[in-house]
Amino acid sequence: MKQYSFYQYALTKRNENSEVGELADLIFQDLSFPKFTNDYHTLSDYLETEAMFTKPMSVFDDLFDSYEEWLKF
């Protein structure tokens, strides 16, 4: 199993031409983003309350789901 944080995984999506890519770019630009946690609730709470995130939370859910799948391989 891989040992990468959600933040590290999100950065691999920055160049995608999609809402996920836009979210990844916002995460990269946010200096306060919790970079060392993999906890879904911590990350989603941060995006809902602290970040300048205007996309539907389903975009985060999709990115987090793909992160969890990616960790398995």
Side-chain angles (χ1 to χ4, degrees):
M1 190 168 180
K2 296 175 185 153
Q3 297 293 324
Y4 293 95
S5 71
F6 174 79
Y7 176 79
Q8 291 171 303
Y9 176 73
L11 294 185
T12 68
K13 302 295 184 181
R14 284 187 62 213
N15 294 325
E16 283 188 12
N17 188 16
S18 66
E19 287 186 316
V20 167
E22 291 173 20
L23 172 58
D25 195 48
L26 289 172
I27 288 170
F28 173 73
Q29 293 175 24
D30 184 350
L31 299 178
S32 298
F33 187 84
K35 294 175 178 69
F36 302 106
T37 186
N38 299 338
D39 180 65
Y40 173 85
H41 296 292
T42 301
L43 295 165
S44 66
D45 287 348
Y46 177 82
L47 289 173
E48 290 175 345
T49 60
E50 303 294 327
M52 301 298 285
F53 179 59
T54 58
K55 300 287 181 200
M57 284 304 290
S58 62
V59 176
F60 167 72
D61 292 339
D62 292 344
L63 181 57
F64 195 85
D65 288 345
S66 68
Y67 165 67
E68 288 184 314
E69 286 299 315
W70 178 77
L71 284 177
K72 293 178 185 177
F73 299 101

